[in-house]
Amino acid sequence: MKHPLRLGVLGSGKGSNFRAIMEQINDGRLDAEVRIVISDVENAGILSLARDFQIPGLYVRPGRFRAKLEPEIEEDVVRLLREASVELVILAGFMRIVKEPVLRAFPGGIINIHPSLLPKFPGLEAWKQALAAGETVTGCTVHYVDAGVDTGKILARKTVPILRDDTPERLHARIQKAEHELLPAVLAEIAARFRGLR
Ligand code: GRF
């Protein structure tokens, strides 16, 4: 039996990209199923959204590091993803760098959405970086995740204009709109390819 592509979503924030994925799934435009949502932030919006969509949402302790999870906690994340039979891991606003345990468990099976036109402006608050650099165009990128910071193979990008007098907030909101189109579209392509392979 061919099944929808099984996704696991990791996020630390409000979860608007997760919501965009769910809306496309529920509209029948994305042949996928979110099996689990995992967050390192106990009161993150993404976890309450998961409850709204009746998807298992789990909090994992962030541990003592700022930019990554502790290895044992990452092993827990791997276990949770495996128990949920996840085939593709989506980092949707996950504010930690994933390390060996997750990378090893899902080789070529982790993608991230980043708010700039990579390879420009990797790292934090990329929209602020673009604004400060005086760019006139920025955007968002969906890419595979490797051991670097926002360095994996690029799958797709979408441009967003930077307007005169833009504020960081307005620019980020415009980029997020583009993210909500780009990420589900890339997932739909991957899901269609998976379906052909299974
Ligand atoms: C997005 O801007 C994404 O590009 C970045 O974090 C933000 C997550 O937003 N990595 P949300 O939680 O999906 O609303």
Side-chain angles (χ1 to χ4, degrees), residues 15-25 30 53 179-181 183-184:
S16 66
N17 281 287
F18 163 60
R19 182 202 292 275
I21 293 169
M22 288 309 301
E23 287 174 354
Q24 301 259 343
I25 291 174
L30 170 54
F53 284 110
E179 292 179 350
H180 302 159
E181 291 171 24
L183 180 58

Side-chain angles (χ1 to χ4, degrees), residues 150-171:
D150 304 321
T151 49
K153 181 173 173 262
I154 291 174
L155 282 157
R157 299 190 293 183
K158 193 170 173 68
T159 59
V160 170
I162 299 183
L163 307 181
R164 256 178 352 118
D165 308 326
D166 244 346
T167 62
E169 294 71 29
R170 277 204 299 263
L171 177 58

Side-chain angles (χ1 to χ4, degrees), residues 58-153:
L58 292 166
Y59 162 68
V60 289
R61 282 181 304 112
R64 64 186 190 284
F65 304 117
R66 196 178 44 82
K68 62 176 186 178
L69 295 172
E70 284 174 37
E72 313 78 63
I73 301 175
E74 263 210 46
E75 295 289 359
D76 284 345
V77 169
V78 168
R79 186 178 44 77
L80 292 167
L81 291 167
R82 286 207 171 120
E83 281 171 6
S85 308
V86 165
E87 294 167 304
L88 184 69
V89 179
I90 318 296
L91 308 185
F94 189 60
M95 299 311 286
R96 286 168 199 269
I97 301 161
V98 293
K99 294 288 185 186
E100 265 306 299
V102 170
L103 293 173
R104 215 180 324 109
F106 294 91
I110 312 167
I111 68 173
N112 181 45
I113 175 86
H114 180 78
S116 77
L117 295 175
L118 288 173
K120 274 193 168 175
F121 310 123
L124 293 176
E125 300 191 317
W127 62 94
K128 285 189 186 167
Q129 297 184 47
L131 208 52
E135 300 282 321
T136 54
V137 171
T138 184
C140 53
T141 304
V142 176
H143 64 94
Y144 283 114
V145 173
D146 63 13
V149 176
D150 304 321
T151 49
K153 181 173 173 262

